[in-house]
Structure formats: C-alpha cells, structure tokens
Amino acid sequence: MFETISIASIVMLPLLGFVLLALFGRKYIRRFSGILGTLLMLASTVFALYTAWHYFFVMGPVNGAYQTLLPLQFNWLEFSPGLSIDMGLLLDPLSVMMLVVVTVVSLMVHLFSIAYMRGEERYPTYFAHLSLFTFSMLGLVLSTNIFQIYIFWELVGVSSFLLIGFYFDKPSAVAASKKAFIVTRFADLGFLIGILILSFQSGTLDFTTLIQRLTSPEGNEFKNAISSSFIGVSALTWGLVLVFIGGAGKSAMFPLHIWLPDAMEGPTPVSALIHAATMVVAGVYLVARLFPVFSVSSPAMDLITYVGIFSALFAAIIACTQTDIKRVLAYSTMSQIGFMMFSLGSSGYGDEAGLGYTASMFHLFTHAMFKALLFLGAGAVIHYVHSIEMKDMGGLRRLMPVTHLCFLIGCMAIAGVPLLSGFFSKEEILLAAYQSNKAVYWVALFTSGLTAFYMFRLYFSIFWNKNYLSHSSDQHHGEGGALVLLPLIILAVGAAGAGYIPFGKYVSSDGRPLETEFHLLFSIAPVSFALVGILLAFWLYKNKNERPEAIAATFKGLYHAAYRKFYIDELYLFITKKIVFPLIGRPSAWFDKNIVDGLVNATGNSTQWISAKIKGLQSGKVQEYAIYFLAGVIGLLFVFLYVIK
Amino acid sequence: METPGLYHILFISTALFFIGAYGFFTRRNLITMLMSIELILNSVNLNFIAFNKYVWPAKLDGVFFTIFIIAIAAAEAAVAIAIIINLYRSHKSIDVEKAEEMKY
Amino acid sequence: MTASTIIFYLLAAITLGSALLAVTTRQIFRAAIFLLFTLIGIAGFYFWLHYEFIAAVQIVVYVGGIVVLIIFSIFLTQQSGEELPKQRWSRTLFAALAAFCGFALILTQLINHPFPSANAQAGSPIVTEASVANIGEQLLNIEQNGMALPFEVISILLLAAMIGCIVIAMRQAPIDNENKPAA
C-alpha cells in the first residue's frame, strides 16, 4: 500500500503543484511559487529515487528477469469487454529509469529557474507550467495502456506549447509554439492511426497484453496482423510505422524536425528540461516500450535505423554552421536522439542481440545529464551576456569560472572523451551498430567526430576566442548565485560519473540483466575521431583568426546550404502555401461554406420564407378573413358530405 | 312549365346569398360592403318565409323570424353607418384596404 | 303558363339582376339604387307568396329606412360622383370561385333533399293565414307560442343601437384646447 501511494505521489505531486500554482499563484503565492514548485518536485524526486532503489536492489530480478509491476490500474472507459482504456501505473526497468531521469532533471531545472526567472512578472505561471509538464511526462512514462500514453503525449505537447510561447508578446515565440504544436500534432495523427491498427489487430489497448499477443507466433492476432496487408506491407508493419511517425514527430527526427530549433524561443531552463532531456526522448521511449513488437517487423526496424542515422548526420552538419548557441545545442540534441533511434533500430531482441536497446537507453540516461547541463550552462552565459549569438561572447572563462568548468565537462561528455559518461554510452552504441550494420557504423563514427567538432567550436567560441567586450550598461552581477550554480555542479557530477553504472544489469530488451563488456581496442576508433574533431575546433576557434571564414568560402555552396538548414523550412512553406492551401484548403472551405452551411442556411431561410407567407395571412383586412372563413366552411362541408361517408 | 314551388324560391335565396357574399369579398368601399350584407340578410328572410309557407303552413314562426331579422338589420345598419362615419373621420377615406391596423 | 309563373320569373329576373349589378357597379350611387330595386323585388316576392304584412314591413323599413340611411351616409363620406377603385383581379377571381363553389354545393344539397311539402299531402292541411290580426295576437301573447319576450328583447336592442350610434358617431369634445397653455 505504501508503495502504491509513494509511486502515485511521484505523479500526483507535480499535478498538485500545477493546480495550486495555476489557481492561486498569481494572487496569493506569488514569489513563493518557485520554492513551492521546487519543494513538491523535491518530494517527487525523493519518492522516485526510493522507488528505483527499491525496484532494482530490494526487489531485484525474479527468475532472472525484472518484473513488470502494475501497482495501480483502473478501468476508465470500456469500449467492449477486453477493449478498454485503463489508467494506471506501470513499473518496469524502462519506466523506473525514466522516472529517475525525469524527476532529477526537472528538479535541477526548477532550482535553476528560481534564480533565473526572478523578476519575471508571470513567475507563478511559469512554475505552474513546469509542474504541468512534469506531471504529463511522468504520466507518459508510467502509462500502462497505449491510449493512456497518447493522452499524456498530447498533454506533454500542450505543456510544451505553453512553455515555448511563454513570452507571448514576442511574435517569434508565438509562431514557434504554434509550429511545435502543429508539427507534433500532425505526427500524432499517424500515431493515432497506428494505435487503432495495433489495437484492432491485437484486440486490446493494454501494453503487456498487446505486446504478448503481437509477438507470439502461434497466436491468431499475430498471424492475422502479418497476413493482412495493404499495398504490399503487412498491417503490423503499417501500425508500427505509423506509431513511429508519431514518435518521430515528438523526437524531432527528419523530416519532422523543423520545430525543434524554433522551440529555442522559450526560456532556457525550459529548453533544458523539455527539448533536451525529456520530451524529445518520448519518441525513443515509445519505440523502446513497444520494442518487442517492433523487433518482429524488420521493415519497421530498418526505417527506424535509417531515419535515425540520417537525422543524426543531417543535424550534425547543420550544427557546424549555426551561430546562435541554443540552436547549436538544439541540433546537437536532434543528432544525439538520432543516435538513440538508430541504435534501437539496429538492435535485436533478447540477450546479446539486445545490446543496441541497452546502449540506446544508456545514452538516453547520460544524454539527459550532459544535455541539461549544457543548456543550463548556456542559459547562465546568455543571462550574463544578454545575447544569444556567439559573436557577442568570448573569453568568458575568467569571468564565469564555475560555469566554464561545468560546461567543459558537458562538452567533453558529449564528445566522447574517455572516462566521462558520454564515452561509455556512445561506445556501446557504436559497438551495437558495428555488430549489426557496418554501413551505419561508419556513418555514426563520422557523425560522432562531427559532434566533437561542433561542440568544441561552441565551447571555444564562448569561453576563449576573443575577449568579451563588456558593455558600459552592465553592472556586473557576477556569475550567478548558488541556486544557479548548484544544479550545474550536480549535473556535471552526473555527466561525469553516470558512465560507471553497469547499465545492462538494469535495463535490457527482455528484462534480463545483460553483462556488457568494455572493448579497449574497439574504442580507439571513436576516440581518435573525437580527438581530430576537438583539435580542428581548437585550431579554428581558440584564438580569433581568419581560418573559419576561409574554409567557409571554399565550401561556399555547402556552407550556405547548411547555414540555411538545407532549406527544409522553405520547402514546407512552399508545400503548404502553394499546394495544400489552394488545392485542398480552398475547395474544402468553399464546400463547407456553400454546401454544408448552405444546406443549414437553406432550412433556416425556407422556414423564414414559409413563416413570412403564413404571417401574410394576418393582413388585417376583413374581407380576406371573410373569404378564408367561407372557403373553410365550404371545404369542410365538402369533406363531410362527400369524402367522409 | 310547372308552378314555381319551394325549390325555385330556395334557388333564388341561395343565389342572392352568394351574390351578397361575393360582393362582401370584392367591394373596396365600406358602404358597398354594408349593402352586400343587407343582400345576405334579405336572402335569409326569403328563406324563412318560403319554408313557413310550403313546409309549415300551420305555424307563423317563420314570419316572426323575418320580422325580428328586419328589426335587427335596421339597428345593425344604423350602427354600421355610425362606425363608418367614425372611420372616415380618422382615415379620411372609407377604402377598406386602408384599414389594416390589425396587420401582423 | 299561368300569370303567377310569369310574374314569378319576372320578379326573379329583377331581383337577381339588380343584386348582381349592385355588387359589381363602379359607381356607388348606382349601387345604392340597384340595392333599392333588389329590395323591392324581394318585397314583390313576399306579395307573390301572399305575405302582405311582411311585404309592407320590408318596404317601409328596408327601402324607406335603410336605403335612405345608406344614401345619406354616401353623401356624408365622399363625393358620390367619383368612381370606386377597382379590385385586383386575384381577389375577384377567388371571391367568385368561392361564391360559385358554395352556391353549387348548397344547391346540390337542397335539390336532393326531400322537404316534406305540405302541398303534396292529401286533403287540405291547416293553414294559418298571416294576417295582421294573427301576427299581432301571437306577437304579444304571453302564453304558449307567444312572442312577447323576443318582442321586448328586440325593443331593448333597438334602444341600445340608438344610443350606441349616437355615442360612436359623436364628435369628440375639443379637450386639447382646454389643456393648452396660453400660446
């Protein structure tokens, strides 16, 4: 019982925070809102850590595999016996790991925001939205039912919309929030259709039952799903591909990635929480949750792999040219998620073959740490410099020492410098890729080199390069108080040390602990690529010089295309404005206005016309009344004499 | 040709009734409408007298009805003229098409 | 072809013809005169039916009273020389249609209905002659078959009609002049 309450309170405490802050924040709680939100979040984190410790260590694996627990489940909406939307909490290694990630990162962001957002007029609203987001994300990872996950999916999208558009008087922020919501909503259409297909084929919406029915080869549902096909692809694959499309939208995979860079219009802690560590990994989480079913359909797995690796490479190239530091980090997020995706795509199921799964989840865990760290650090820098462009920064290492050190740790982690967490997780991904698909391995290797390059380009441009020209209007407020630095330090410790967790022992594709080995020789290749990248960045950016411009001039076309993000946004605008609106939108609008509305209006108008005619009977003229009278009498007489005998 | 009997007079009274009705519907002048009403009343009188003579010759009820109807018709014509004069004062015309205050 | 028959058809022609002309003519004075002829024709019918008293009453009251009243009101309310405006043809059509249908229906019913005709009975039935004495006796009789009560009611009605006419037609007293301030 205690367990149920403590697990439920992980989810409910942020919800409570949202309700209190939304209803009473502006008027009563005001400046205390940050502390209230953070305290509730702290309680939630403590419960989450306790649950994780209890699950992994006290309970441990039973019969060699970790149990899937359902501490809470109730039937919410029943369509037919056996097909119902339940609401509940699901505990298995994947969701417990996600609990830890979400709560810890959210707590760090809350702490950071107390100081960062001080002075903001809508301070309580901000914390209310943060609590709403945390609640939605926690509900998402604890979902037992594919429809429940869809509900929380949409909730997360709404929270993201609210937070991206937090500065709603900036038109660019409003546009960005709309873009994010519309693109992810569009992807969710695919998700919904996928849900319908999968639940139709398996006859249930519950995760465990669905997975079990669609993966047992003797079962009727499985045979049905494989055999019924549409345009040559089986129904099962269609369902999975559509579900993946939903996940790809949320995780900013190509071509649904366009919203992520623009989402940087929101406050920086928001970017740290949502667009780095938690919401964007929801797509990866979804694929991991349905992994047993995905692994049955190799077309779906291939799609995931290719989309993942392409997004990773694509984003890495673009990140090399961007000058807004948040956008560099956004593209880096897209690239890292691409890594997680292709690692899942190229993984098998069970024991040794499931290395890709474990590697992907491990990378998710470490990425949350160092990406949140990088974003919060960037936030501290932006706050200090009052600008987001790299050209306004430089030489900040002396002015912001703690931030500098933490940021450096984060960059080294993401680049894969040995001994830090990113090294271990990336090495495992590359190992899994090498074992399944050599072509993907080589591209991934090149991309990780690019990663090291652009991250250190960013690092050197901010903290070295030229000297920061402080404006006369700055009264220097120093680096930032304890509340700003503490989260950075905690996350830096996490980024450095998380690599030493033997992740395979806890999270693996089939729940059985997986022993992962460390291959020293194998790691020579990634480390050398990373080193080349770092040295190149050092050579180009440590001291201000002309070499970057010279290189950009040589590759003019490619540079320009990468700088303009390969014109994907323009392509979307073209398609919507030139094709969708005139050819589909306008005729539909015409149809709706003239025919559908016309029919309804016609009933109204004809009623009015008839009533006007009837009204005309009351003309006020005695003679007309007399005619009606006599005609009526004659008519009645006729009826009674001849018609009714 | 047979001697005119009940049915002939009934024909005349019915025709007179409906001629009066037609005049009532068609005339635009209030006074001519009053004249049409007088025609109707007279047709009814003729009817009563005819029935009294041919069907109930032993009684005089038809005669009395007729007398009463004549008296009432006179009173009613007087009141109607008074109303017409009143209407003429307010509308300056006795065109019945103009008196449509009871319109919707 | 007795004289009685000829007179009957003549009277019928006068009555119906005048009635038709009364309701269709465009000149109001002529309508009044045609009404006059119609009423005289009706009186003629009463004479033909040997109900002289009623005929006399008809001429005195209707022709001498009501038609005169109507002519006076014509003088009071408009220039009698002017032509009446014509009614629109849809009204004329529908009215004629309604009147004709009604006429046909009633007539059909009447002709097919076998009224118990006293003349067809054998022997001579009792006939009460409608002489003035008989009418007067029954009119003021308070016993059975007496019409004293309706007689009194009619007289009250006539009184009420008289008072009513005076009230309705009375010119309103000039109240406005008394209330207006000196201006």
Side-chain angles (χ1 to χ4, degrees):
Chain A
M1 195 57 195
F2 171 70
E3 267 87 42
T4 315
I5 295 181
S6 67
I7 296 168
S9 55
I10 302 175
V11 180
M12 287 304 161
L13 283 172
L15 179 65
L16 176 69
F18 168 65
V19 170
L20 286 176
L21 288 169
L23 289 176
F24 306 114
R26 292 291 291 266
K27 210 156 164 225
Y28 301 110
I29 311 180
R30 280 184 289 211
R31 287 231 301 246
F32 188 66
S33 316
I35 301 181
L36 176 66
T38 312
L39 282 175
L40 287 169
M41 204 53 231
L42 181 64
S44 183
T45 311
V46 165
F47 279 123
L49 289 171
Y50 171 76
T51 308
W53 171 75
H54 193 87
Y55 183 82
F56 284 120
F57 297 109
V58 173
M59 283 179 51
V62 176
N63 292 338
Y66 284 100
Q67 291 280 58
T68 305
L69 296 173
L70 291 160
L72 189 68
Q73 186 171 25
F74 69 93
N75 212 317
W76 181 49
L77 197 66
E78 192 165 318
F79 296 120
S80 67
L83 189 70
S84 62
I85 302 180
D86 300 334
M87 287 285 165
L89 302 171
L90 174 78
L91 285 182
D92 71 351
L94 179 64
S95 63
V96 172
M97 176 204 85
M98 285 301 292
L99 272 186
V100 171
V101 168
V102 173
T103 49
V104 169
V105 174
S106 182
L107 180 63
M108 294 300 117
V109 168
H110 271 87
L111 271 175
F112 188 85
S113 305
I114 296 179
Y116 189 82
M117 299 295 283
R118 183 176 293 144
E120 169 69 43
E121 195 216 320
R122 291 167 57 224
Y123 190 73
T125 319
Y126 173 81
F127 278 96
H129 290 329
L130 269 189
S131 299
L132 177 67
F133 173 79
T134 314
F135 160 70
S136 321
M137 194 68 207
L138 287 169
L140 198 154
V141 302
L142 287 172
S143 296
T144 55
N145 183 301
I146 204 172
F147 220 89
Q148 184 186 357
I149 208 179
Y150 185 72
I151 294 173
F152 280 105
W153 194 271
E154 297 301 328
L155 261 177
V156 168
V158 166
S159 316
S160 167
F161 170 81
L162 289 170
L163 283 165
I164 296 175
F166 186 70
Y167 299 119
F168 53 66
D169 36 11
K170 266 193 346 174
S172 54
V174 171
S177 64
K178 271 196 290 185
K179 187 174 181 180
F181 195 69
I182 291 175
V183 172
T184 48
R185 195 76 188 84
F186 175 70
D188 292 346
L189 174 66
F191 188 16
L192 186 62
I193 301 178
I195 290 178
L196 293 174
I197 295 179
L198 286 178
S199 59
F200 176 72
Q201 291 294 336
S202 64
T204 176
L205 287 169
D206 181 54
F207 270 129
T208 32
T209 330
L210 194 150
I211 292 174
Q212 183 237 323
R213 282 195 196 160
L214 287 178
T215 49
S216 43
E218 323 81 42
N220 281 335
E221 293 90 0
F222 180 75
K223 290 205 195 108
N224 243 342
I226 293 286
S227 54
S228 45
S229 72
F230 177 69
I231 321 179
V233 175
S234 76
L236 183 66
T237 309
W238 269 113
L240 292 172
V241 164
L242 286 167
V243 166
F244 173 65
I245 288 177
K250 225 13 152 241
S251 290
M253 294 284 102
F254 181 87
L256 295 163
H257 65 280
I258 48 175
W259 63 273
L260 188 59
D262 290 2
M264 298 298 120
E265 296 283 338
T268 314
V270 164
S271 307
L273 179 60
I274 301 185
H275 306 122
T278 42
M279 189 180 94
V280 289
V281 300
V284 181
Y285 172 78
L286 183 67
V287 175
R289 172 60 68 213
L290 285 171
F291 189 71
V293 191
F294 270 103
S295 59
V296 170
S297 160
S298 51
M301 292 294 261
D302 288 340
L303 179 70
I304 296 175
T305 312
Y306 293 129
V307 167
I309 189 70
F310 181 77
S311 307
L313 183 62
F314 183 79
I317 296 177
I318 296 180
C320 295
T321 62
Q322 298 296 308
T323 54
D324 174 355
I325 61 174
K326 282 179 75 174
R327 276 178 173 67
V328 173
L329 290 174
Y331 282 107
S332 132
T333 306
M334 182 181 162
S335 181
Q336 297 304 307
I337 296 175
F339 268 83
M340 294 179 219
M341 276 298 188
F342 84 70
S343 173
L344 274 178
S346 53
S347 164
Y349 181 77
D351 288 335
E352 282 299 317
L355 181 63
Y357 180 95
T358 306
S360 172
M361 293 298 110
F362 192 19
H363 197 64
L364 198 159
F365 188 79
T366 58
H367 174 263
M369 301 283 153
F370 55 66
K371 195 41 77 61
L373 169 63
L374 285 169
F375 264 105
L376 291 182
V381 168
I382 292 173
H383 197 73
Y384 190 85
V385 174
H386 300 297
S387 155
I388 56 172
E389 295 285 333
M390 278 200 267
K391 61 183 192 311
D392 296 331
M393 307 170 188
L396 285 172
R397 67 189 182 285
R398 290 192 198 92
L399 298 168
M400 307 176 75
V402 180
T403 314
H404 168 236
L405 188 61
C406 295
F407 201 89
L408 179 61
I409 293 179
C411 283
M412 287 201 292
I414 195 175
V417 167
L419 299 183
L420 294 173
S421 60
F423 166 68
F424 291 105
S425 59
K426 209 176 274 201
E427 191 253 349
E428 249 180 63
I429 290 186
L430 289 170
L431 183 63
Y434 185 79
Q435 283 172 352
S436 59
N437 192 332
K438 295 285 193 300
V440 169
Y441 168 72
W442 286 110
V443 178
L445 204 54
F446 177 68
T447 312
S448 51
L450 270 183
T451 307
F453 170 69
Y454 66 70
M455 283 313 296
F456 273 88
R457 165 177 177 261
L458 181 68
Y459 165 73
F460 283 122
S461 307
I462 297 176
F463 293 104
W464 294 78
N465 206 310
K466 53 189 184 293
N467 276 319
Y468 173 60
L469 304 157
S470 74
H471 304 272
S472 51
S473 59
D474 294 333
Q475 303 105 331
H476 260 293
H477 42 89
E479 195 178 351
L483 278 176
V484 167
L485 295 178
L486 183 64
L488 288 176
I489 296 173
I490 295 179
L491 286 171
V493 168
Y500 294 101
I501 302 174
F503 215 74
K505 242 178 89 171
Y506 305 113
V507 179
S508 70
S509 55
D510 52 359
R512 269 195 264 274
L514 179 65
E515 288 296 324
T516 49
E517 296 158 5
F518 179 68
H519 304 266
L520 193 60
L521 285 176
F522 182 77
S523 44
I524 292 180
V527 171
S528 41
F529 267 82
L531 212 57
V532 168
I534 296 174
L535 287 173
L536 193 61
F538 181 87
W539 181 58
L540 287 176
Y541 293 102
K542 176 174 178 291
N543 296 314
K544 189 158 177 59
N545 54 30
E546 298 303 316
R547 294 180 214 125
E549 284 82 12
I551 294 183
T554 2
F555 289 105
K556 199 154 41 147
L558 181 63
Y559 177 82
H560 202 70
Y563 184 71
R564 304 279 284 150
K565 302 167 272 173
F566 290 107
Y567 304 108
I568 299 286
D569 277 313
E570 284 80 357
L571 183 66
Y572 267 99
L573 271 177
F574 175 80
I575 293 178
T576 48
K577 280 207 179 136
K578 293 285 189 304
I579 298 178
V580 174
F581 286 169
L583 293 182
I584 302 178
R586 213 159 278 146
S588 314
W590 179 89
F591 184 80
D592 180 53
K593 200 158 40 154
N594 291 351
I595 296 184
V596 176
D597 277 359
L599 267 166
V600 176
N601 284 348
T603 49
N605 286 344
S606 57
T607 311
Q608 269 193 317
W609 182 84
I610 291 175
S611 88
K613 290 286 173 239
I614 294 178
K615 189 168 72 163
L617 286 176
Q618 305 282 336
S619 62
K621 295 184 186 141
V622 175
Q623 289 171 317
E624 285 190 18
Y625 295 165
I627 294 187
Y628 299 144
F629 185 73
L630 187 72
V633 168
I634 294 171
L636 278 173
L637 267 178
F638 187 80
V639 164
F640 282 119
L641 287 174
Y642 295 114
V643 177
I644 300 176
K645 285 289 183 338
Chain B
M1 202 168 279
E2 57 177 273
T3 323
L6 176 62
Y7 290 99
H8 299 78
I9 299 189
L10 283 183
F11 177 90
I12 299 214
S13 79
T14 315
L16 211 56
F17 181 91
F18 281 101
I19 289 172
Y22 170 79
F24 183 76
F25 298 150
T26 315
R27 296 300 237 166
R28 281 181 72 157
N29 194 305
L30 277 165
I31 296 180
T32 42
M33 280 167 70
L34 181 63
M35 293 185 210
S36 315
I37 292 178
E38 297 304 332
L39 282 177
I40 292 172
L41 288 168
N42 270 287
S43 80
V44 170
N45 280 345
L46 193 57
N47 225 349
F48 274 122
I49 298 289
F51 276 117
N52 187 297
K53 181 175 169 82
Y54 288 107
V55 183
W56 306 103
K59 297 200 231 172
L60 283 177
D61 289 340
V63 176
F64 286 116
F65 258 109
T66 308
I67 291 177
F68 292 143
I69 289 177
I70 291 178
I72 292 171
E76 169 239 323
V79 175
I81 298 292
I83 293 176
I84 289 173
I85 290 181
N86 211 348
L87 199 69
Y88 177 72
R89 280 204 205 120
S90 66
H91 285 249
K92 291 292 171 276
S93 148
I94 50 170
D95 188 346
V96 75
E97 297 273 317
K98 294 209 170 57
E100 47 174 23
E101 279 87 355
M102 292 282 272
K103 201 172 169 183
Y104 57 80
Chain C
M1 192 65 89
T2 58
S4 171
T5 318
I6 297 175
I7 291 175
F8 174 82
Y9 282 110
L10 204 62
L11 280 169
I14 292 174
T15 310
L16 289 178
S18 302
L20 271 168
L21 286 167
V23 296
T24 52
T25 186
R26 300 274 302 273
Q27 285 140 323
I28 193 168
F29 210 70
R30 291 198 189 176
I33 299 302
F34 284 129
L35 181 71
L36 183 93
F37 285 132
T38 312
L39 297 174
I40 291 178
I42 301 282
F45 272 118
Y46 293 150
F47 274 122
W48 185 81
L49 289 168
H50 302 297
Y51 279 80
E52 294 85 359
F53 178 64
I54 302 300
V57 170
Q58 166 92 353
I59 292 180
V60 167
V61 173
Y62 257 113
V63 178
I66 291 180
V67 175
V68 171
L69 183 63
I70 287 177
I71 291 176
F72 270 131
S73 74
I74 291 174
F75 287 151
L76 274 175
T77 57
Q78 60 181 90
Q79 299 78 2
S80 52
E82 249 175 43
E83 263 201 6
L84 289 172
K86 198 160 175 244
Q87 184 65 270
R88 53 182 191 273
W89 67 268
S90 57
R91 171 71 65 81
T92 319
L93 181 68
F94 282 123
L97 205 65
F100 182 73
C101 287
F103 177 65
L105 190 70
I106 304 283
L107 204 62
T108 321
Q109 287 305 306
L110 280 177
I111 289 177
N112 294 334
H113 192 277
F115 289 106
S117 176
N119 282 351
Q121 252 69 307
S124 60
I126 308 168
V127 178
T128 314
E129 200 187 313
S131 63
V132 184
N134 285 341
I135 291 175
E137 255 184 46
Q138 201 170 345
L139 189 64
L140 297 170
N141 204 335
I142 54 177
E143 283 150 44
Q144 205 197 20
N145 280 345
M147 296 283 168
L149 181 60
F151 175 72
E152 298 300 335
V153 171
I154 292 282
S155 47
I156 294 177
L157 173 77
L158 287 173
L159 176 67
M162 234 184 343
I163 298 175
C165 287
I166 294 173
V167 169
I168 292 173
M170 200 162 60
R171 205 176 276 275
Q172 297 297 325
I175 313 169
D176 309 25
N177 290 334
E178 292 168 13
N179 284 345
K180 254 198 229 163

